[in-house]
Structure formats: C-alpha cells, structure tokens
C-alpha cells in the first residue's frame, strides 16, 4: 500500500496530510488540479467525485476533489476564482459527468473541454448557477 | 450508412426514464449517447432547507430501492460532525438491514434481467423471492420501502426476535441456492443471452472509475465493506466475488454470488448481535463547523455523502450525494460498442441502473 508521504513527495509538497471526518486532506494551496490528477493516475487511485461549494460574499467557489486509494479517501480542495478551473477530463475519464453537473448547476467553467448537451436539466443555456436562479 | 435510434426516455426496455441515442450501422451499435435528468428533483438543494431530522427523511427518498443506504451514509456523516458513536447493537442492526436491502435489490435486478432475457418464469420466481425479503424488512421496520431505521447515533427500531428473522433468512437462502443461483450460473438460456455480451474491459472499468458489482465483474476487486469497514462489517467474515470477463454474464455471476455472501453475513450478524442500547440517548446534538464525508457499499456500488455544516445551524450548508449509477452509467457507452441492437436493453440493465438515485 503506497504511503501518503510518498504521494506528497510526488506532488512536490511537504505539507502534512490531515485526517478529518472521513477523508485524508492535503491542503497545499500551491497545488494544481491537473498535477494532482496525474499523480492520482500514477498511484492508481480511483476518482470518486467533485463537490462544489458556493462561498459567501461573492468569493467564488470551492471544489473538493476526492480519490479512493485502497479504501482511503483522499481529498483536495481548490478555490475557484473567476468561475473557471482546468478540466481533468483528458486525464481522468470518470470525471466527465460530475464536471458537467457542476458546470450546469453552479456555472463553473472547466477549461479545456467541450460540453455535450445538458446532462441534468432542460434548456438551451449551459452553465447557469441554479442557486442564483432559484432565489 | 449509420442511423440513430432513440431509446427512451419512456421505453418498455427501460425501468426508469432516461434516454439512449444509439448510432447504428445495420444491427450493430457504433456509438451511444446518454441523457439523464428526467427525475431531477433538486434534492441536494432542498436538503439545505431541512433541519437535521427532516433531512434524514428527505434523503431516504432519493431512491426507492436502496433508501436505507442513503440514510445510513447521511447519518454516518452527521455522526462525524456531532461526535456521536452508535452503540454496538445499532451497528449490527445497520448491517442486517443493509444486507437485506442488498438481497432484495439483487433479486429484483435478477428478475428484471430474466425478463429482458425472455425468461419470464425466472422473472416470476425472482419477484416471489423478493417479496419474502420484503416481508423480513417489513417485519423489522414496519415498512416495505422507506424503512426509517437510521437516526443520528443509532437506529430507530430493534430486532426483537433475531432467531425468527434468522429462520426467514435461512429459508430464503435455501430457496436461492435451489432455484435462482443454479439457473443463473448454469442454464444455457442465461449463458446464451449473457456470455460475451456488453464487455467492459478491466482497463475501461478503471479509467471510467466504475464501482460495485459492475467493477467487480471486470476484475476490479473493490468493496468498501472490506477496504473501509463501517457499522459492524469489520466483525463479519465474507468473500468479495470477482469475475474477470467483464460481460453481462460476469455481472450476473457477481450478483448471484453476492446474494449468497449477503445471506452469510446476515446469519453471522443475527447470531452475534450483542445486547444493549439502540442509540446514544437523549443528548443535545451540537454540529461542528466543517465537512464530513461518509461512504457505504450500496447494492450497486459505492455511495458517498459530503455533508457540510455551520456551527449552531439547524440546517446543513451543503449535502452532496455521489451515487453508484452516476459513476457506472457513462461506461454503458463502451459496453454497447459493437453490440447487437437487440442486446442493448439487457446490457444497459446489467449495471442495475437507478435513475432516481442518479438524478436526485
């Protein structure tokens, strides 16, 4: 079983992993989501999901990416400023639907990918923040 | 010349509404596009308006088949936020209800698969057996579908007579071993309709991040009950069936063997269930600020909840649900490539899709 320290080494960070309420978190702010996805592929971790959080006071969003590594849930949180973040679809096929869902529900744009017709709802315009619309 | 055949959202071969656009050349499928969202109810958003008691009842309604799994996963996440640890008896009851749910889900799927194979007698046999599982669940919880068993810090109902439930489980196991398992694993009809059909290779299963029996039928040996045990699973002895072929027959075999493993777990849990309390009692629940995650091995694969809370709030700030069909469904596109059009209903059914869960 690969150690978490080894993963930190591959990511080029010395920040510690923190186990917190069901997941091991690496809160290294300098990490790039594509670098993380590459390392997760190398260690044969399985992509689980992305959870999007809308931050208060127009601070944008926080996206939490999760991978499973031999039963351990690894978490990486990325702030999203300006409503866009790099897509990892070309690195991880399993991310397709959840990137589309976050795009359709929160208007977060995943750069470097194309969107097929809407996944979860009707309408012509993709990328609408449903929480703002429903207010 | 290729042509497009739209299948769904309402179609006799589909148990729930979704749409497959099949691009065909002759009778051969060349590509497929999937469309979901016909059951989208905005449940995650609704959850943000419900308090910590109401949200359990709401999330139980994400799915009609694996309703217990949703409340179990949610309650486990909320227990991490409130610092509650359910007593041992409650942990055993959680295992028993979860395995009964797996049993009825797998038998229901077996019935639907039999119907799609053109094996109607088997369909009737499976549904008769499923009724018996539902009877056990009703005897425990009082309900056939939404059992309302889980709460923060424990369970709502006891299993007062485990020996009676054990007798029902043994009768079920004998019937499954006598009819369902041998027919699905050895009959020529099942083999002819399922072997070599809808193959998902090991490499594709890994790259698509599929979960549950769909992954295990493609040689991916993952099972959260073993890899990250929850409730009382660490105290149970069981095997994780894995097949290598990745076809519909492999998915059938995995589920058939899992039915027997579920019975094995049920026998152990009912025999070893310790005495004691059902919950942590009347304690004031104080939610910590932050996020908690919980994962459970549902009948169709891993369910994950991310629950975020703000201190002193009665409602969650965010509840995110990742269901197994959401992870498995995109792989259908690769399973139907090169398949005969007539096989596509059985191939799509072979992942045991649930769109109520997927759409939320």
């Amino acid at each position: 079983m690969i150690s978490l320290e080894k993963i930190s080494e591959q990511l080029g960070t010395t920040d510690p992993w923190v186990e917190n309420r069901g997941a091991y978190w690496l809160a290294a702010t300098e990490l790039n989501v594509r670098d993380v996805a590459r390392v997760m592929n190398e260690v044969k971790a399985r992509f689980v999901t992305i959870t999007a959080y809308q931050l208060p006071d127009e601070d944008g969003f926080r996206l939490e990416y999760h991978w499973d590594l031999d039963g351990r849930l690894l978490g990486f949180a990325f702030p999203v400023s300006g409503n866009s973040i790099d897509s990892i679809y070309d690195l991880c096929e399993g991310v397709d639907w959840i990137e589309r869902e976050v795009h359709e529900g929160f208007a977060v744009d995943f750069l470097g990918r194309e969107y097929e017709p809407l996944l979860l709802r009707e309408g012509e315009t993709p990328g609408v923040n449903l929480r703002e619309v429903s207010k | 010349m290729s042509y497009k055949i739209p299948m769904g959202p309402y179609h006799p071969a589909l148990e729930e509404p979704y749409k497959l656009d099949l691009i065909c050349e002759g009778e051969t499928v060349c590509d497929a596009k999937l469309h979901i969202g016909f059951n989208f109810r905005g449940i995650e958003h609704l959850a943000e308006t419900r308090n910590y008691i109401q949200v359990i009842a709401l999330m139980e309604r994400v799915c009609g088949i694996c309703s217990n799994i949703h409340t179990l996963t949610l309650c486990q996440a909320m227990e991490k936020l409130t610092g509650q640890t359910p007593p041992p008896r409650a942990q055993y009851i959680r295992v028993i209800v979860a395995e009964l749910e797996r049993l009825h889900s797998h038998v229901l799927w077996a019935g639907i698969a039999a119907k799609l194979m053109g094996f109607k007698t088997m369909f009737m046999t499976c549904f008769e057996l499923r009724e018996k599982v539902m009877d056990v669940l009703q005897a425990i919880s009082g309900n056939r579908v939404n059992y309302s068993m889980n709460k923060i810090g424990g369970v709502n109902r006891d299993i007062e007579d485990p020996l009676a439930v054990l007798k029902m489980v043994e009768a079920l196991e004998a019937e499954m071993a006598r009819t369902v398992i041998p027919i699905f694993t050895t009959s020529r009809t099942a083999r002819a309709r399922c072997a070599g059909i809808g193959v998902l290779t090991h490499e594709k299963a890994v790259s698509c991040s599929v979960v549950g029996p769909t992954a295990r039928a493609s040689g991916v040996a993952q099972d959260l009950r073993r890899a990250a045990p929850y409730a009382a699973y660490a105290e149970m002895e069981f095997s994780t069936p894995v097949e290598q072929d990745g076809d519909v027959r492999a998915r059938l075999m995995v589920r058939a063997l899992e039915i027997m493993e579920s019975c094995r777990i049920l026998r152990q849990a009912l025999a070893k269930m310790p005495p004691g309390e059902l919950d942590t009692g009347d304690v004031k629940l104080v939610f910590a600020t932050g996020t908690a995650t919980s994962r459970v091995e549902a009948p169709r694969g891993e369910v994950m909840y991310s629950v975020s809370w703000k201190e002193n709030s009665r409602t969650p700030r965010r509840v995110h649900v990742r269901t197994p069909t959401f992870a498995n469904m995109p792989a259908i596109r690769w399973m139907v490539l090169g398949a005969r059009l007539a096989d596509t209903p059985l191939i799509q059914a072979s992942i045991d899709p649930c769109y109520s869960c997927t759409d939320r």
Side-chain angles (χ1 to χ4, degrees):
Chain A
M1 186 184 283
I2 190 163
S3 71
L4 298 181
E5 288 69 32
K6 179 80 178 161
I7 294 172
S8 298
E9 202 177 291
Q10 287 181 253
L11 285 166
T13 177
T14 53
D15 289 334
W17 289 86
V18 178
E19 186 180 4
N20 189 22
R21 301 190 192 111
Y24 294 87
W25 294 92
L26 189 61
T29 49
E30 74 277 10
L31 287 179
N32 175 286
V33 66
R34 291 185 63 80
D35 293 337
V36 171
R38 277 192 205 96
V39 170
M40 290 296 106
N41 285 346
E42 285 168 19
V43 300
K44 300 192 187 315
R46 172 176 57 84
F47 174 78
V48 179
T49 194
I50 303 170
T51 305
Y53 294 89
Q54 183 165 10
L55 302 176
D57 305 326
E58 299 185 358
D59 281 346
F61 298 89
R62 186 178 80 249
L63 299 188
E64 291 179 354
Y65 288 68
H66 284 102
W67 276 268
D68 174 277
L69 185 64
D70 304 322
R72 289 170 295 180
L73 188 66
L74 310 184
F76 302 88
F78 296 95
V80 178
S81 55
N83 286 12
S84 66
I85 187 168
D86 288 335
S87 168
I88 57 168
Y89 178 38
D90 57 324
L91 301 169
C92 176
E93 197 174 351
V95 83
D96 181 25
W97 278 23
I98 189 64
E99 279 193 354
R100 286 164 67 185
E101 182 179 305
V102 172
H103 176 66
E104 289 170 22
F106 290 87
V108 172
D109 201 14
F110 291 89
L111 303 173
R113 66 163 294 166
E114 290 179 2
Y115 296 101
E116 288 180 47
L118 293 172
L119 189 66
L120 272 180
R121 61 184 175 80
E122 285 296 312
E124 296 296 322
T125 316
V128 174
N129 188 334
L130 293 179
R131 279 167 174 72
E132 298 296 326
V133 171
S134 65
K135 273 181 186 171
Chain B
M1 190 185 115
S2 63
Y3 53 94
K4 183 171 88 174
I5 299 182
M7 192 170 148
Y10 302 103
H11 188 281
L14 309 179
E15 300 303 321
E16 292 180 78
Y18 70 101
K19 193 175 175 214
L20 267 172
D21 281 331
L22 299 162
I23 316 298
C24 298
E25 280 183 14
E27 285 291 310
T28 306
V29 178
C30 305
D31 198 3
K33 289 203 163 136
L34 295 100
H35 306 277
I36 58 168
F38 300 98
N39 274 332
F40 179 56
R41 288 153 287 163
I43 284 186
E44 288 186 7
H45 186 42
L46 270 178
E48 295 164 20
T49 66
R50 300 292 190 272
N51 69 32
Y52 57 84
I53 294 170
Q54 294 168 330
V55 75
I56 300 173
L58 176 68
M59 300 320 278
E60 184 142 41
R61 279 138 185 91
V62 167
C63 178
I65 297 172
C66 51
S67 57
N68 175 71
I69 284 296
H70 284 277
T71 59
L72 172 58
T73 323
L74 174 68
C75 286
Q76 286 187 167
M78 292 200 290
E79 281 156 11
K80 288 173 185 168
L81 287 164
T82 53
Q84 302 289 309
T85 305
R89 188 174 180 85
Q91 303 279 28
Y92 270 73
I93 292 171
R94 284 180 172 184
V95 167
I96 290 164
V97 177
E99 289 309 312
L100 283 167
E101 193 171 67
R102 187 181 322 279
L103 214 51
H104 101 73
S105 177
H106 279 6
V107 180
L108 179 142
W109 175 82
I112 291 169
K115 190 190 88 173
L116 291 169
M117 283 180 216
F119 202 163
K120 293 278 174 64
T121 313
M122 194 63 200
F123 164 74
M124 292 295 185
T125 304
C126 288
F127 270 64
E128 186 198 359
L129 273 173
R130 180 180 176 247
E131 280 304 308
K132 290 177 182 167
V133 187
M134 304 287 274
D135 287 346
V136 181
L137 282 161
Q138 189 172 12
I140 292 171
S141 72
N143 296 318
R144 280 172 55 84
V145 181
N146 294 324
Y147 317 113
S148 294
M149 285 299 286
N150 294 296
K151 64 196 256 189
I152 301 174
V155 291
N156 285 314
R157 290 177 191 82
D158 197 4
I159 298 176
E160 290 168 359
D161 190 358
L163 288 178
V165 178
L166 189 59
K167 271 187 188 166
M168 294 169 95
V169 169
E170 282 171 347
L172 270 172
E173 189 178 13
E175 187 66 15
M176 301 258 189
R178 193 178 67 83
T179 55
V180 178
I181 308 298
I183 289 174
F184 272 127
T185 52
T186 61
S187 98
R188 285 166 61 187
T189 306
R191 185 183 290 272
R193 287 291 278 122
C194 303
I197 307 265
V199 174
L200 183 69
T201 62
H202 178 82
E203 293 71 30
K204 236 5 182 184
V206 170
S207 71
C208 290
S209 306
V210 297
V211 294
T214 305
R216 293 193 280 276
S218 292
V220 183
Q222 58 179 38
D223 186 336
L224 285 175
R225 292 173 297 174
R226 193 172 282 286
Y230 51 92
Y233 279 108
E235 293 161 43
M236 305 294 149
E237 283 181 23
F238 62 99
S239 306
T240 302
V242 177
E243 295 282 323
Q244 303 298 329
D245 292 344
D247 56 1
V248 173
R249 186 162 188 272
R251 293 190 271 280
L252 188 71
M253 292 290 282
V254 165
R255 289 199 185 88
L257 296 171
E258 282 186 9
I259 286 173
M260 301 313 284
E261 290 302 319
S262 281
C263 291
R264 189 177 164 196
I265 294 171
L266 279 166
R267 273 190 277 110
Q268 292 173 62
L270 285 162
K272 294 197 294 189
M273 190 162 60
E277 300 297 320
L278 297 181
D279 57 33
T280 49
D282 288 332
V283 291
K284 183 174 165 53
L285 295 174
V286 179
F287 284 83
T289 298
T291 301
T293 54
S294 173
R295 294 187 296 163
V296 159
E297 188 72 27
R300 297 172 178 82
E302 174 196 78
V303 169
M304 175 177 151
Y305 270 63
S306 276
V307 180
S308 181
W309 220 281
K310 194 175 174 186
E311 203 171 334
N312 297 324
S313 172
R314 288 174 64 82
T315 58
R317 190 161 61 180
R318 176 96 168 91
V319 178
H320 175 57
V321 190
R322 205 301 309 272
T323 62
T325 303
F326 195 87
N328 290 340
M329 196 63 199
I332 287 282
R333 187 178 179 190
W334 306 109
M335 293 178 194
V336 299
L337 279 187
R340 286 175 302 178
L341 183 61
D343 287 331
T344 52
L346 183 58
I347 293 171
Q348 59 84 27
S350 71
I351 68 159
D352 192 8
C354 177
Y355 290 92
S356 185
C357 278
T358 306
D359 293 349
R360 289 155 283 139

